[in-house]
């Protein structure tokens, strides 16, 4: 029974990783561009949540809305003002600019919030759990997060496949050069894609803040988890990121069960294994 | 080749400048203070790392943010060999590099399944795997690392002055050697291959395969030489920990910023970058995080203004090219 | 006709791919309602004119006037909004979109006019049954119909067609070209690039011929002889003497 418990924990953790991955995957899908600062933006969202709710004492619901709003705005403006200028055939400039952003964000957050590790408490919810028959107990918080993750992915699905904007985003992913000939403003569409991705990042960051301790240097490993979930799931597949996240989550939780120091390593190793045996990922849709 | 009229040519200014610099650096143990010497050693090691990253990213387009994998592996293998194999230190260093090169074959094979920006992050994952594995070896101190035993250090030379001198000339060899090797490579038929890589990405199938092979070999070669430098760096530090050995900030961020700010895709760029980096650092010793923020902002600025970096700006102002790479093959 | 009243007026157009110059001073004028054919051998620069006109290639500083406004240097999506739509070379449908989505996306610029999904399905009834298929799962001819429909969905005043007959069977070409008068009837002017000279001459009210980035001939089809066209097209002296017969009848 213990292993069933472990498996459930892993799956639930996978929901969070799927959220990490969805933003990264969305930006790559639309713009063929990987944001190295992705993890640092997740941590930035976590600090925003901390500031609004813990420091300023706002109601959590208000805090969540504010974080999503602020992150979305940063995403839209950042794309239009900075990133659109460096996107092109040469992959070095976007990698470098976002690598630079990553360093700036990490050290900026260090200056503002210090290196102390932080957490946003959600009160009784932190420890509540739901007992199931057969000695199984599911933490209320992980379960809630998993449900929210599913909700966000479902929302993205509706957006992509049932709205005019989603149609434009998929078209941009297919052939960005043609989109202006359809009347689409590429700079604006790119910025909207980043805005949506940043909204997802905001939710991911809020969850991170409520789930574990975080500090200014927590971003890079979140980037790596996101990246691994994307590759495991298969490039360009929305629900693939969920599968990728779950595989990664289960691998980590099982690894931790074997040895506490083995949690992250187990996730990386499973990722490398899948890269070797199935480089296109579990549900590939798009070529890298 | 046309037969130009024979004229007596003066040695170009650039050759004189290079020669003077080399002599000046070679004589450093005789004029520099211990602090200066240490700083020069560090700068020369950074120069070697920067030249290698530049070879990889600037000439073959393989952008890695995981070169710390090889710095750290070189350091750890060197420590292991020095402590447990009984090999003399000066032998253990190249052996560690060679072993790293061997390991780079299977690792590269995995990393090459990813392309472009995903390759970059993949190399980072691999470096993390190395770090986490290194932390599992209790013989090498596990997560808290280990120091090189005194008797092992003393086997290099008994007096501290002599040890400094030996270490300095290793650093000198690494720094100058990296420049010379890259220069020679660019003037050989490899230089042509690099031009082909830059000009024709989705070329024909057969060229495509050959390009892949060249890229792979460059990946392995830079891994080995990065490991060699890594071994030296930790010989100089005398202590290694997983976090220091596989630090993404130290061995990727700094190196990448050095190359990019100095000028990617040129031999002069990394040299310029190292000089800038160490100059800035001497001013910014107590800036803390602001120093890193400044570097990050500079790198972003370079990408927005001129992606060829400071060297390209200097060149357009009439500074002569120091290292001609197209002597045999005019483009 | 004063130049300012011209519907489309291009003066001394040049274009470059890196250091390579593809166009050397092209002049082109169209009136509203015209169907202009641009002919010329492979590599003559025909598609390059369209790419510059639509803003796919930078056109800053050039002299291009459309419906009285200078459009050179404007971003492509604004040129599209001004009423120029293109059926690109090789169709370039969006592979992950269905036929209907491909058509709908053409209307992203939200221009008003006679064209709608229903009107497109009326023009190309084949597409109606396949509207939920993937855009690239159709036959070549049907894909071309989607590409044309997608361009029409923006209700353009000027429709640019780049080699719509390429790779299609004569019967399919005929089917597609039967749409041309219907499109014109709804008030759209057309600029078509064709390798099939006979086809071009049959629909065009004006024709220009390009050769290595320069205009080698221009006029009304009925005024041009076959020999003139052959010379302009291939850059060679024609074998037979100039007979001055109208070209359409001979080709
Ligand atoms: N993307 C490109 N890069 C470089 N040269 C190009 C490119 N596209 C076209 N050319 C060159 O420009 C010239 C005109 O091309 P194009 O306008 O496509 O000719 P066509 O008349 O067949 O449509 C040709 O010589 C072609 O080789
Ligand atoms: Mg063409």
């Amino acid at each position: 029974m213990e292993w069933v418990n472990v498996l459930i924990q892993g799956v639930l953790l996978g929901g969070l990783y799927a959220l990490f991955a969805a933003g990264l995957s969305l930006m790559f899908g639309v713009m063929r561009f990987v944001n190295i600062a992705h993890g640092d933006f997740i941590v930035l969202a976590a600090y925003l949540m901390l500031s609004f709710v813990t420091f300023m004492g706002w109601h959590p619901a208000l805090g969540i809305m504010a974080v999503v709003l602020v992150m979305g705005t940063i995403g839209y403006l950042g794309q239009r003002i900075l990133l659109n200028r460096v996107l092109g055939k040469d992959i070095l400039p976007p990698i470098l600019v976002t690598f630079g952003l990553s360093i700036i964000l990490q050290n900026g957050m260090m200056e503002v919030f210090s290196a102390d590790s932080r957490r946003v408490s959600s009160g009784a919810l932190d420890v509540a759990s739901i007992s199931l028959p057969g000695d199984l107990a599911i933490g209320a918080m992980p379960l809630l997060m998993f449900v929210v993750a599913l909700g966000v992915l479902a929302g993205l699905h509706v957006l992509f496949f049932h709205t005019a904007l989603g149609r434009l985003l998929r078209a941009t992913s297919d052939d960005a050069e043609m989109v202006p000939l359809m009347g689409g403003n590429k700079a604006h569409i790119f910025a909207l894609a980043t805005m949506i991705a940043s909204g997802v990042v905001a939710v991911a960051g809020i969850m991170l803040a409520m789930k574990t301790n975080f500090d200014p240097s927590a971003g890079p490993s979140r980037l790596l988890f996101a990246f691994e979930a994307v590759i495991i799931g298969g490039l360009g597949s929305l629900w693939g990121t969920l599968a990728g996240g779950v595989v990664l989550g289960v691998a980590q939780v099982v690894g931790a069960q074997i040895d506490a120091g083995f949690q992250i390593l187990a996730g990386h190793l499973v990722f490398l294994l899948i890269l070797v045996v199935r480089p296109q990922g579990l549900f590939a849709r798009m070529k890298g | 080749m046309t037969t130009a009229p024979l004229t007596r040519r003066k040695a170009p200014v650039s050759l004189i400048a290079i020669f003077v610099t080399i002599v000046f650096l070679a004589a450093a143990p005789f004029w520099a203070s211990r602090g200066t010497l240490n700083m020069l050693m560090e700068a020369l090691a950074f120069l070697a790392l920067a030249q290698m990253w530049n070879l990889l990213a600037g000439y073959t387009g393989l952008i890695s943010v995981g070169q710390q994998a090889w710095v750290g592996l070189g350091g750890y293998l060197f420590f292991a060999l020095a402590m447990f194999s009984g090999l003399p230190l000066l032998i253990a260093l190249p052996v560690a590099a060679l072993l790293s090169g061997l390991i780079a074959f299977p690792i590269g094979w995995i990393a090459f399944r990813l392309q472009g920006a995903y390759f970059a992050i993949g190399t980072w994952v691999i470096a993390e795997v190395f770090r986490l594995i290194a932390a599992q070896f209790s013989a090498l101190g596990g997560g808290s690392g280990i120091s090189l035993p005194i008797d092992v250090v003393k086997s290099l030379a008994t007096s501290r002055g002599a040890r400094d001198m030996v270490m300095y000339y290793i650093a000198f060899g690494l720094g100058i050697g990296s420049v010379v090797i890259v220069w020679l490579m660019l003037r050989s038929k490899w230089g042509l291959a690099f031009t082909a890589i830059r000009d024709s990405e989705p070329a024909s199938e057969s060229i495509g395969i050959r390009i892949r092979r060249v890229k792979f070999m460059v990946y392995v070669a830079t891994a080995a030489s990065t490991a060699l430098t890594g071994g030296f760096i930790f010989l100089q530090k005398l202590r290694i920990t997983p976090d220091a050995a596989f630090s993404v900030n130290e061995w990727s961020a700094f190196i990448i910023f050095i190359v990019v700010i100095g000028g990617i895709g040129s031999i002069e760029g990394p040299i310029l970058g190292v000089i800038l980096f160490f100059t800035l650092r001497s001013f910014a010793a107590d800036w803390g995080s602001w120093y890193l923020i400044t570097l990050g902002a500079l790198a972003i600025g370079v990408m927005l203004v001129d992606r060829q970096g400071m060297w390209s700006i200097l060149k357009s102002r009439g500074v002569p090219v120091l290292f001609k790479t197209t002597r045999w093959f005019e483009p | 006709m004063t130049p300012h009243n011209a519907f489309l007026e291009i003066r001394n157009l040049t274009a470059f791919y890196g250091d390579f110059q593809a166009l050397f001073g092209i002049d082109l004028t169209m009136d509203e309602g015209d169907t202009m054919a641009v002919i010329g051998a492979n590599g003559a620069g025909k598609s390059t004119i369209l790419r510059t006109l639509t803003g796919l290639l930078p056109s800053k500083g050039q002299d291009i006037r459309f419906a009285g406004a200078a459009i050179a240097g404007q971003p492509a999506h604004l040129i599209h909004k001004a009423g120029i739509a293109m059926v690109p070379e090789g169709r370039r449908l969006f592979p992950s979109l269905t036929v209907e989505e491909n058509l709908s996306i053409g209307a992203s610029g939200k221009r008003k006019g006679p064209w709608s999904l229903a009107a497109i399905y009326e023009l190309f009834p084949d597409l109606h049954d396949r509207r939920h298929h993937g855009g690239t799962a159709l036959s070549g001819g049907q894909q071309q119909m989607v590409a044309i429909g997608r361009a029409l969905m923006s209700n353009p005043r000027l429709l640019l067609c780049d080699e719509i007959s390429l790779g299609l069977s004569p019967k399919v070409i005929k089917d597609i070209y039967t749409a041309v008068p219907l499109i014109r009837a709804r008030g759209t002017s057309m600029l078509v690039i064709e390798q099939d000279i006979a086809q071009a001459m049959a629909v065009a009210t004006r024709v220009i011929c390009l050769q290595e980035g320069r205009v080698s001939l221009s006029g009304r089809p009925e005024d041009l002889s076959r020999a003139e066209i052959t010379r302009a097209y291939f850059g060679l002296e024609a074998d037979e003497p100039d007979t001055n017969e109208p070209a359409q009848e001979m080709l």
Side-chain angles (χ1 to χ4, degrees):
Chain A
M1 266 310 148
E2 191 186 332
W3 283 103
V4 178
N5 239 335
V6 166
L7 220 62
I8 292 174
Q9 273 182 51
V11 171
L12 295 185
L13 181 61
L16 179 62
Y17 290 170
L19 274 197
F20 289 175
L24 193 71
S25 173
L26 196 158
M27 285 176 72
F28 182 80
V30 174
M31 296 172 274
R32 296 294 183 279
F33 151 66
V34 176
N35 178 8
I36 305 258
H38 182 70
D40 306 295
F41 279 107
I42 293 175
V43 176
L44 177 65
Y47 273 111
L48 286 176
M49 185 68 180
L50 180 79
S51 308
F52 294 154
V53 174
T54 307
F55 297 163
M56 292 153 85
W58 295 3
H59 188 277
L62 183 63
I64 290 170
M65 283 193 318
V67 174
V68 173
L69 216 72
V70 171
M71 290 301 293
T73 310
I74 292 177
Y76 186 91
L77 294 178
Q79 185 68 43
R80 272 211 100 144
I81 294 169
L82 182 62
L83 297 177
N84 274 346
R85 287 166 193 246
V86 290
L87 286 185
K89 253 176 61 189
D90 187 358
I91 61 163
L92 177 78
I95 292 185
L96 241 127
V97 166
T98 53
F99 197 48
L101 275 181
S102 160
I103 300 288
I104 292 174
L105 275 175
Q106 282 177 44
N107 288 283
M109 291 189 289
M110 186 90 88
E111 284 292 323
V112 177
F113 298 104
S114 86
D116 297 346
S117 150
R118 293 288 195 162
R119 180 167 186 178
V120 175
S121 158
S122 29
L125 211 54
D126 278 340
V127 288
S129 73
I130 299 160
S131 315
L132 295 181
D135 251 5
L136 294 178
I138 299 180
M141 197 69 186
L143 186 64
L144 181 67
M145 285 183 180
F146 188 76
V147 171
V148 171
L150 287 185
V152 170
L153 291 179
L156 286 177
H157 180 93
V158 171
L159 177 78
F160 284 151
F161 294 99
H162 301 283
T163 69
L165 174 61
R167 200 165 56 208
L168 260 179
L169 291 174
R170 280 182 292 138
T172 311
S173 170
D174 280 350
D175 187 349
E177 196 192 17
M178 274 300 114
V179 165
L181 298 189
M182 307 294 122
N185 178 356
K186 221 160 70 176
H188 178 61
I189 294 169
F190 279 8
L192 286 177
T194 306
M195 187 180 87
I196 297 163
S198 302
V200 178
V201 160
V203 177
I206 292 165
M207 286 196 183
L208 179 75
M210 303 203 301
K211 182 184 150 291
T212 53
N213 288 323
F214 60 92
D215 61 64
S217 62
S221 53
R222 271 62 202 183
L223 165 71
L224 298 189
F225 298 161
F227 161 73
E228 290 172 337
V230 170
I231 301 285
I232 294 174
L235 287 183
S237 153
L238 180 64
W239 294 104
T241 59
L242 181 63
V246 166
V247 169
L248 186 65
V250 169
Q252 287 191 359
V253 172
V254 169
Q257 201 67 18
I258 298 167
D259 179 292
F262 206 58
Q263 176 183 351
I264 308 299
L265 186 57
H268 290 331
L269 290 177
V270 165
F271 157 72
L272 291 178
L273 185 74
I274 288 175
L275 191 57
V276 168
V277 299
R278 201 178 154 80
Q280 74 277 35
L282 302 176
F283 303 93
R285 190 182 72 79
M286 176 196 291
K287 282 195 66 95
Chain B
M1 291 265 152
T2 53
T3 46
L6 271 178
T7 48
R8 284 180 60 206
R9 282 194 220 148
K10 284 183 286 181
V13 185
S14 58
L15 268 186
I16 298 173
I18 292 170
F19 183 74
V20 169
T21 311
I22 288 180
V23 170
F24 182 70
L25 282 175
F30 305 99
W31 58 260
S33 69
R34 186 144 198 268
T36 309
L37 206 59
N38 271 329
M39 201 266 283
L40 280 178
M41 279 192 235
E42 206 186 340
L44 286 163
F46 267 65
L47 176 60
L49 296 178
Q51 288 292 355
M52 289 307 123
W53 191 82
N54 183 38
L55 183 61
L56 201 58
Y59 291 99
T60 64
L62 288 169
I63 299 168
S64 162
V65 284
Q67 289 308 89
Q68 66 273 23
W70 307 111
V71 174
L73 185 66
Y76 264 99
L77 286 176
F78 169 65
F79 267 50
L81 288 170
M83 289 162 63
F84 307 125
S85 76
L87 283 177
L89 291 187
L90 292 182
I91 304 293
L93 210 51
V95 172
L98 224 63
L99 287 175
S100 302
L102 284 179
I103 294 173
F105 277 94
I107 294 297
W109 179 74
I110 298 176
F112 271 57
R113 294 177 163 245
L114 295 162
Q115 267 131 46
Y118 279 149
F119 173 85
I121 306 184
T123 59
W124 194 349
V125 171
I126 289 167
E128 279 299 289
V129 169
F130 282 16
R131 180 176 71 81
L132 293 165
I133 291 178
Q136 296 288 321
F137 279 100
S138 45
L140 289 166
S144 47
I146 198 159
S147 297
L148 210 54
I150 296 292
D151 51 325
V152 175
V153 179
K154 285 210 166 129
S155 72
L156 197 60
T158 40
S159 79
R160 203 169 84 171
R163 275 203 301 278
D164 279 354
M165 183 160 318
V166 174
M167 287 208 249
Y168 179 77
Y169 283 111
I170 299 175
F172 179 78
L174 287 169
I176 305 299
S178 68
V179 174
V180 171
I181 284 174
V182 172
W183 190 17
L184 290 178
M185 224 168 152
L186 293 179
R187 293 172 67 125
S188 73
K189 66 180 189 341
W190 288 80
L192 279 186
F194 294 153
T195 319
I197 289 172
R198 235 182 304 178
D199 295 349
S200 64
E201 259 315 344
S204 73
E205 192 72 5
S206 67
I207 293 183
I209 291 170
R210 256 179 289 159
I211 284 181
R212 239 180 110 74
R213 199 169 299 153
V214 169
K215 285 184 170 188
F216 188 80
M217 290 321 294
V218 171
Y219 176 81
V220 170
T222 52
S225 19
T226 301
L228 184 65
T229 311
F232 165 74
I233 287 170
F234 289 97
L235 167 63
Q236 198 204 351
K237 288 186 192 293
L238 298 175
R239 179 172 175 76
I240 195 165
T241 67
D243 289 350
F246 299 97
S247 159
V248 64
N249 275 348
E250 196 92 356
W251 315 125
S252 276
F254 284 161
I255 299 300
I256 293 174
F257 291 160
I258 283 174
V259 175
V260 167
I261 295 170
I264 193 169
S266 68
I267 296 180
E268 294 87 348
I271 300 177
L272 195 61
V274 166
I275 295 171
L276 271 165
F277 177 80
F278 279 86
T279 314
L280 186 61
R281 203 177 71 171
S282 66
F283 286 116
D286 44 33
W287 289 10
S289 337
W290 288 107
Y291 173 56
L292 281 158
I293 294 176
T294 309
L295 276 182
L298 264 178
I300 293 176
V302 163
M303 284 297 122
L304 291 175
V305 175
D306 181 350
R307 46 188 76 170
Q308 306 298 323
M310 312 276 268
W311 176 243
S312 140
I313 295 169
L314 286 185
K315 222 165 46 178
S316 68
R317 297 269 160 90
V319 175
V321 172
L322 293 179
F323 301 94
K324 289 223 175 71
T325 54
T326 49
R327 177 151 165 190
W328 314 121
F329 309 102
E330 294 301 331
Chain C
M1 179 193 71
T2 64
H4 292 284
N5 294 339
F7 177 59
L8 174 70
E9 186 175 24
I10 298 175
R11 290 259 163 272
N12 195 25
L13 183 73
T14 55
F16 293 82
Y17 294 102
D19 292 336
F20 176 78
Q21 184 162 9
L23 298 178
F24 300 83
I26 304 287
D27 292 327
L28 185 157
T29 313
M30 263 179 90
D31 292 329
E32 185 141 32
D34 265 348
T35 299
M36 166 157 287
V38 178
I39 60 174
N42 242 328
K46 306 180 296 295
S47 301
T48 304
I49 295 184
L50 299 200
R51 282 186 213 123
T52 318
L53 191 54
T54 51
L56 275 188
L57 278 180
S59 59
K60 211 171 159 201
Q62 305 267 9
D63 187 359
I64 307 175
R65 303 182 71 82
F66 175 68
I71 57 167
Q74 298 234 17
H77 69 278
L78 291 185
I79 294 177
H80 179 268
K81 280 206 175 97
I84 299 182
M86 173 155 83
V87 183
E89 194 170 14
R91 304 172 197 125
R92 306 271 292 261
L93 300 185
F94 299 107
S96 62
L97 269 53
T98 64
V99 167
E100 189 151 308
E101 286 178 322
N102 264 291
L103 292 174
S104 309
I105 209 160
S108 299
K110 301 198 171 71
R111 278 177 59 88
K112 299 264 179 303
W115 294 103
S116 62
L117 282 174
I120 302 290
Y121 292 142
E122 194 186 320
L123 184 67
F124 299 121
D126 279 7
L127 297 185
H128 185 261
D129 297 339
R130 294 177 174 73
R131 63 189 185 279
H132 299 304
H133 286 45
T136 45
L138 309 182
S139 72
Q142 288 162 346
Q143 287 191 31
Q144 195 59 269
M145 292 171 193
V146 178
I148 295 170
R150 184 178 68 174
L152 288 174
M153 284 294 283
S154 69
N155 292 301
R157 293 179 69 182
L158 173 61
L159 179 68
L160 313 173
C161 297
D162 198 341
E163 304 207 19
I164 46 179
S165 60
L166 194 70
L168 302 179
S169 71
K171 165 157 190 334
V172 176
I173 296 176
K174 205 171 137 256
D175 284 354
I176 288 184
Y177 266 93
T178 53
V180 169
L182 299 171
I183 296 169
R184 276 198 304 217
R186 297 202 173 191
T188 305
S189 311
M190 295 178 73
L191 192 161
V192 296
I193 288 180
E194 264 305 341
Q195 297 240 335
D196 184 339
I197 301 178
Q199 192 59 262
M201 293 299 179
V203 296
T205 55
R206 288 177 181 225
V207 68
I208 70 168
C209 184
L210 290 194
Q211 194 189 308
E212 293 176 2
R214 293 182 169 86
V215 175
S216 55
L217 183 72
S218 75
R220 298 185 178 276
E222 58 271 23
D223 301 335
L224 302 174
S225 73
R226 176 184 175 178
E228 272 178 301
I229 291 173
T230 313
R231 199 179 314 132
Y233 195 101
F234 296 106
L236 305 166
E237 286 302 316
D239 286 342
E240 57 262 87
D242 192 344
T243 55
N244 265 331
E245 279 175 87
Q248 290 134 294
E249 290 161 28
M250 295 198 58
L251 286 163

